[in-house]
Amino acid sequence: KHRLIFTRLWQTFEKLCSVAHACGTYIAIEWPTGCTYWKNKEVKALIERYNLQPVKFHGCALNLKVTHGKHKGKFLKKPWTIYTDCPNVRDVFVNKLCQRNHEHAECRGEVCKNTESYSPDYVACLHTAFKKATQPN
């Protein structure tokens, strides 16, 4: 059932990407780096069709932390990837990698559920990138 829903959503997303590309608007896809959708043939085809480039980054570099439980306050290294044709998005996230100067909680179980929301730093970076992308040169 989950895959059927993904297929429907993806088909709609492909149509939106076609319209966005025709209008000169940027495209971005973001999932955890290890997400199986990255291996999906339709996803790979869309990435190739629009020449989307990857940027990989870590949640801990964007202040992603456990919000409750015995590991509250510990960083989560959660690896993310964005494929995009927006250079501003790549520029903002490219250096957001773990500096290895802190401890991490394991990103599993209830702690992993915690990572479904974005940290304020993640949101701020994305908004900064989109703002730069929409400003005239």
Side-chain angles (χ1 to χ4, degrees), residues 2 7 16 20 31 34 64 79 92 108-109 125 130:
H2 176 75
T7 299
L16 291 170
W31 287 313
L64 182 64
V92 166
R108 58 182 353 178
C125 283
F130 286 149

Side-chain angles (χ1 to χ4, degrees), residues 43-108:
V43 172
K44 288 180 175 183
L46 186 133
I47 288 169
E48 188 175 322
R49 183 179 318 126
Y50 296 110
N51 193 30
L52 305 182
Q53 300 299 309
V55 61
K56 296 177 183 286
F57 53 98
H58 298 130
C60 58
L62 295 162
N63 266 331
L64 182 64
K65 295 181 181 180
V66 179
T67 59
H68 58 282
K70 69 179 185 174
H71 299 291
K72 183 178 180 178
K74 277 197 171 182
F75 286 98
L76 292 167
K77 190 178 176 181
K78 183 178 181 175
W80 268 306
T81 300
I82 296 175
Y83 270 86
T84 186
D85 56 352
C86 181
N88 302 94
V89 170
R90 287 193 311 272
D91 291 349
V92 166
F93 285 99
V94 72
N95 293 318
K96 303 296 187 210
L97 299 170
C98 181
Q99 297 300 304
R100 300 181 176 169
N101 59 358
H102 53 263
E103 288 185 43
H104 299 112
E106 283 192 56
C107 195
R108 58 182 353 178

Side-chain angles (χ1 to χ4, degrees), residues 111-126:
V111 169
C112 192
K113 187 85 174 143
N114 201 23
T115 67
E116 290 179 350
S117 298
Y118 300 113
S119 70
D121 288 8
Y122 177 104
V123 174
C125 283
L126 199 56

Side-chain angles (χ1 to χ4, degrees), residues 3-13:
R3 297 239 182 236
L4 181 62
I5 292 169
F6 171 78
T7 299
R8 287 185 197 154
L9 289 170
W10 187 257
Q11 289 169 347
T12 301
F13 181 70

